[in-house]
Amino acid sequence: MKFKSILSFLAAGALLAACNNRVSVSDTGLKYQIHDQKGEGRKPKIGDIMTVQLVLKNSRDSVLRNTYKEGRPLQVMLQTPPFKGSFEEGLAMLSKGDSASFFVSADSLFTRMMQPLPAGIAKGTDIQFTVKVIEVQNEQEFQKGQAAAREGQVKADAKIIDAYVAKNSLKTVETPSGLNYVIVKEGDGVKPVAGNMVSVHYVGKLLDGKEFDSSYKNPQSGGKPVDFPIGQGMVIPGWEEGIMNMRKGGKSTFIIPSSLAYGEAGSPGTIPPNSVLVFEVELVDVKNAPKQQ
């Protein structure tokens, strides 16, 4: 191939790439940019669950959300577009394996949500949704997949906990749910029951020892213990079970599988998805719940 022909070939390739990434506008006014669309994957229907990676940006190109960094894709049920030019309209254009960016009117989106524009979103601007479709499933397929994933994670967590216990030469009590706990100090007071108010000091850590939360260092409570009703779903299940196995004045270390903690969602920026957690817990006080007026 001659030098001039090579240049022509490269120029043609660049032009094609530019055309493939141009911004188009649908009949309803949705602006979109296709990055990859082979048309070979499964196309979603209304009611299907789509697993997608999402990067959300405002008009200043500031990232508002990035599921890649969160370590977990997003699952959304495809719904009938709630307004012209909505994100749902864009999702319906894609199939499994496709990727695209959609530019949705911030005014239309937040008016539909009946909410004011948040800080960082200017009136009259667009919000950019850049998505990569990982999977398309109907509800039955999704539920089956979730159940299989949960079962697999329970087994994975059990192996992780066993290894942690062995590595640290811990003597733990294991419950049928998978919770492991070490009695550091046996309390001499009452055991809490569902409905009691408990007062607890705690330190929360990842398995690598990184501390992510502590009642001693909480500026909102001034370093005082936290109070909450036990057995009412106010805290993670691992805490509920562990604390009701303690006595007032006691101290324990909980090793909590992810299914009894923050699960596959984790806590973005603090706790990664599917994390086994370690909590050092002191049961400071146990009281009867105040009577409701």
Side-chain angles (χ1 to χ4, degrees):
M1 184 181 288
K2 294 182 179 180
F3 185 67
K4 184 176 181 181
S5 300
I6 293 173
L7 289 178
S8 299
F9 175 76
L10 292 175
L15 179 61
L16 180 61
C19 290
N20 287 339
N21 284 285
R22 70 181 186 276
V23 175
S24 303
V25 183
S26 73
D27 293 339
T28 61
L30 174 65
K31 289 178 284 187
Y32 63 94
Q33 187 178 42
I34 300 297
H35 305 304
D36 190 9
Q37 190 172 38
K38 298 183 177 69
E40 300 171 354
R42 179 172 171 179
K43 200 166 182 65
K45 301 176 183 177
I46 299 298
D48 281 352
I49 289 86
M50 301 178 69
T51 301
V52 303
Q53 294 285 10
L54 172 69
V55 178
L56 200 63
K57 294 182 178 182
N58 63 14
S59 60
R60 295 194 295 260
D61 208 37
S62 299
V63 177
L64 306 176
R65 183 174 185 184
N66 186 337
T67 59
Y68 293 98
K69 290 188 176 180
E70 291 173 8
R72 176 174 176 260
L74 183 70
Q75 274 102 26
V76 294
M77 178 180 286
L78 183 61
Q79 301 177 357
T80 302
F83 58 89
K84 291 182 178 181
S86 71
F87 175 54
E88 289 80 0
E89 178 188 332
L91 281 179
M93 296 166 56
L94 303 179
S95 300
K96 179 180 176 179
D98 294 347
S99 62
S101 292
F102 303 103
F103 304 87
V104 179
S105 164
D107 296 344
S108 298
L109 178 61
F110 285 94
T111 297
R112 181 71 184 186
M113 295 169 64
M114 293 186 290
Q115 294 181 7
L117 290 172
I121 308 280
K123 184 176 177 60
T125 62
D126 291 333
I127 299 175
Q128 180 180 339
F129 295 76
T130 298
V131 295
K132 169 75 173 180
V133 182
I134 308 299
E135 186 60 270
V136 177
Q137 299 167 299
N138 61 36
E139 189 170 358
Q140 184 178 7
E141 292 168 336
F142 176 75
Q143 294 298 343
K144 185 177 180 180
Q146 290 291 98
R150 284 193 295 269
E151 183 178 346
Q153 190 61 48
V154 167
K155 293 178 181 178
D157 284 354
K159 289 182 179 180
I160 291 170
I161 291 174
D162 287 346
Y164 180 84
V165 168
K167 180 181 177 181
N168 293 279
S169 302
L170 300 176
K171 186 177 180 180
T172 67
V173 178
E174 183 175 359
T175 72
S177 70
L179 170 70
N180 280 246
Y181 63 92
V182 179
I183 301 174
V184 179
K185 174 187 174 185
E186 188 73 68
D188 55 9
V190 298
K191 267 189 173 184
V193 296
N196 284 162
M197 289 293 295
V198 296
S199 184
V200 170
H201 258 314
Y202 69 92
V203 177
K205 301 177 181 178
L206 303 178
L207 282 189
D208 62 5
K210 182 180 179 181
E211 186 177 309
F212 60 83
D213 196 9
S214 171
S215 59
Y216 300 97
K217 301 175 183 178
N218 189 337
Q220 294 180 340
S221 63
K224 295 180 180 179
V226 295
D227 299 330
F228 57 89
I230 196 73
Q232 306 297 311
M234 299 295 291
V235 292
I236 58 175
W239 263 38
E240 298 269 32
E241 183 178 2
I243 290 172
M244 286 196 281
N245 276 300
M246 297 178 69
R247 291 185 179 277
K248 178 180 175 180
K251 295 182 179 180
S252 292
T253 299
F254 302 158
I255 307 167
I256 305 176
S258 62
S259 60
L260 301 179
Y262 294 91
E264 62 179 355
S267 181
T270 305
I271 300 171
N274 297 316
S275 290
V276 174
L277 303 179
V278 176
F279 280 95
E280 298 168 3
V281 178
E282 178 184 1
L283 183 53
V284 177
D285 200 4
V286 179
K287 297 179 182 179
N288 290 327
K291 293 181 180 180
Q292 295 183 352
Q293 299 296 324

